[in-house]
Amino acid sequence: MRIDVIFQKITAVFLAIALLLTLCPPPGFAASTGIKVMYNGTPLDFEDAQPVIRDGSTLVPFRSLFETLGFQVKWSDAGGVRKASGAKDGLEIELTLDSTEAVVNGQTVKLEVPAQMIEGKTMVPLRFISENSGYEVTFIENRSGFIINIEGTGGMAEPHTEKAEPGIVKGRVTDAQGNPIEGAEVVADNQLLYNSNAVGVTDADGYYRIPLGMRATTYAVSAQITRKYNGKSYTFDLVPDNDKPFTGDAGAIRNFTLNASGGPAPEGCYSCRGRVIFNMMDLYHPKDDSLPPPSREDVELTLTPDGPLVDGSQGQAIKSRGTDSPDGFGIHDVPLGRYKITALYAPKGEKPVQMKIRKVREQQYSDSVTTDFTSVTSSIHRIDVELKLP
């Protein structure tokens, strides 16, 4: 074959490759043409900058979108942290530039793509803003590009919910007040294969993300947090919002809550509370041995918090009579902390008498005892005391 023919073929191949590279932009390319945005049937004209697509999300100029949807807009730049926000009718949306978290009415919400500066213009995710403002967003693809329809009258949107990702389990861990918990250990327990669990730890915002792979293996997820308190360690089993198993290839979202104090213990949260078990040490009535010995049903305990509880809250005094259980007779479902404990012997119709109290197997009785819970296991915490009449 002649050299000039070979050269012509090589030239043709290079031209074809160049044409393909022109027609097929590389990953991460930001499309800025062929995007038309409609608001209730009326085309939106973005004068400052044109919409772009980044990582599958459409970004549009911040001020134009917010004002179109009826928001009062605000821009701040303090200490190098730049924020764009809008407020209307009890709804407030705040986005921090280059952050994958937004705040909607005080609640932190994850973003697929952050708000960002593009060629000097503040660009925000169109779908996120619109749907959290109560509008419906639809995409139509045609020969000339994309048509994005924003439709509705707006208003308070339903809370934003994340979608499960194939091969991933993710979620957030918070306390009973919704504050993030850092350092919680989350375990995805492989139900079919021994010693094949996956483990993750929550970050400063309480989020975790655990890759599981795409096998259709069943997983169940649990979580724990260990906290130091008065020189002791307490491990809490966290309460899942959904304890159903799932397959790894489908993925799942599992959020957890620590409820160590305040209100009733959540179902299944055996480690969130402790038991104060008491024993009666009088075999005979101290004033008259012909009388029946003191009955534990006639005892009233008062538990007064001595400083903050394990979860940092102040707690409240508990006054209660005991009940029976397989663990012993006493007061159950007590938020963990340090307590001053006193006891009254108060049979019906009689004047209450203050009892003497001590921790089990300690030498001296006194009018009160101040103590922490002892962890029997990671989910069982007890205070054991002995009572007697003076």
Side-chain angles (χ1 to χ4, degrees):
M1 183 179 293
R2 293 188 343 224
I3 293 178
D4 59 338
V5 174
I6 294 174
F7 179 77
Q8 289 176 359
K9 289 187 176 183
I10 292 175
T11 301
V13 170
F14 275 108
L15 288 174
I17 293 173
L19 179 61
L20 285 173
L21 290 174
T22 302
L23 295 176
C24 303
F29 174 78
S32 60
T33 59
I35 304 174
K36 180 183 289 187
V37 180
M38 309 288 289
Y39 174 67
N40 285 328
T42 301
L44 291 186
D45 183 18
F46 297 104
E47 297 180 356
D48 295 341
Q50 293 305 305
V52 299
I53 296 176
R54 287 281 171 89
D55 298 326
S57 294
T58 302
L59 302 177
V60 297
F62 146 67
R63 185 174 294 275
S64 297
L65 178 63
F66 270 91
E67 290 182 345
T68 296
L69 301 181
F71 285 88
Q72 294 291 323
V73 299
K74 180 181 178 182
W75 168 263
S76 66
D77 187 348
V81 179
R82 298 171 294 178
K83 295 183 179 182
S85 61
K88 72 166 185 177
D89 302 330
L91 173 64
E92 184 172 356
I93 300 175
E94 180 183 89
L95 301 100
T96 301
L97 265 65
D98 301 318
S99 172
T100 55
E101 291 184 350
V103 178
V104 180
N105 278 0
Q107 298 295 315
T108 301
V109 182
K110 279 285 190 179
L111 294 172
E112 294 295 330
V113 175
Q116 54 196 273
M117 295 291 287
I118 299 178
E119 296 182 357
K121 303 298 181 181
T122 303
M123 308 290 280
V124 296
L126 179 147
R127 179 185 287 275
F128 175 83
I129 301 298
S130 301
E131 290 184 347
N132 279 276
S133 304
Y135 294 89
E136 292 186 5
V137 180
T138 58
F139 285 72
I140 300 174
E141 184 176 2
N142 58 25
R143 292 181 179 179
S144 60
F146 295 95
I147 298 176
I148 303 173
N149 293 304
I150 305 172
E151 298 176 315
T153 58
M156 293 296 290
E158 291 296 320
H160 178 82
T161 55
E162 284 195 272
K163 294 182 180 180
E165 299 179 49
I168 299 291
V169 61
K170 60 183 180 178
R172 196 174 190 224
V173 177
T174 61
D175 62 19
Q177 291 74 43
N179 302 311
I181 294 179
E182 181 180 7
E185 182 180 82
V186 184
V187 178
D189 184 3
N190 191 316
Q191 304 286 285
L192 299 179
L193 299 177
Y194 175 73
N195 200 26
S196 299
N197 299 340
V199 180
V201 177
T202 55
D203 62 19
D205 296 314
Y207 289 100
Y208 74 92
R209 181 184 178 89
I210 305 175
L212 302 175
M214 296 302 293
R215 293 182 179 179
T217 301
T218 303
Y219 287 88
V221 183
S222 61
Q224 289 187 333
I225 181 69
T226 299
R227 286 191 167 176
K228 296 286 187 181
Y229 179 79
N230 291 337
K232 296 184 178 181
S233 294
Y234 294 91
T235 299
F236 300 99
D237 296 322
L238 304 176
V239 183
D241 61 351
N242 183 345
D243 61 359
K244 294 182 179 179
F246 63 93
T247 58
D249 59 341
I253 296 173
R254 295 292 184 267
N255 301 311
F256 291 85
T257 305
L258 166 66
N259 191 350
S261 67
E267 182 179 356
C269 188
Y270 304 110
S271 71
C272 294
R273 301 290 194 272
R275 297 102 163 168
V276 178
I277 305 300
F278 63 88
N279 302 298
M280 304 293 287
M281 302 306 291
D282 289 304
L283 300 179
Y284 304 97
H285 199 290
K287 294 183 178 180
D288 188 345
D289 59 10
S290 67
L291 296 175
S295 171
R296 60 189 184 182
E297 281 80 7
D298 292 327
V299 173
E300 181 181 85
L301 289 188
T302 299
L303 314 177
T304 305
D306 184 44
L309 302 181
V310 173
D311 68 350
S313 66
Q314 294 305 310
Q316 297 179 347
I318 299 171
K319 184 178 290 186
S320 177
R321 295 181 182 241
T323 57
D324 204 2
S325 78
D327 297 322
F329 191 90
I331 301 176
H332 305 266
D333 197 26
V334 178
L336 297 188
R338 174 174 288 176
Y339 289 91
K340 176 184 177 181
I341 307 174
T342 58
L344 289 178
Y345 184 63
K348 187 176 181 179
E350 296 185 19
K351 183 180 178 179
V353 176
Q354 183 172 1
M355 303 189 75
K356 297 295 184 179
I357 183 172
R358 71 178 183 184
K359 290 186 69 175
V360 170
R361 290 184 291 276
E362 290 194 354
Q363 296 298 316
Q364 299 296 323
Y365 284 95
S366 61
D367 291 336
S368 67
V369 63
T370 300
T371 184
D372 299 308
F373 283 88
T374 297
S375 296
V376 181
T377 69
S378 63
S379 59
I380 299 177
H381 312 283
R382 292 170 57 124
I383 294 175
D384 288 88
V385 295
E386 297 172 329
L387 307 175
K388 61 178 292 187
L389 287 169

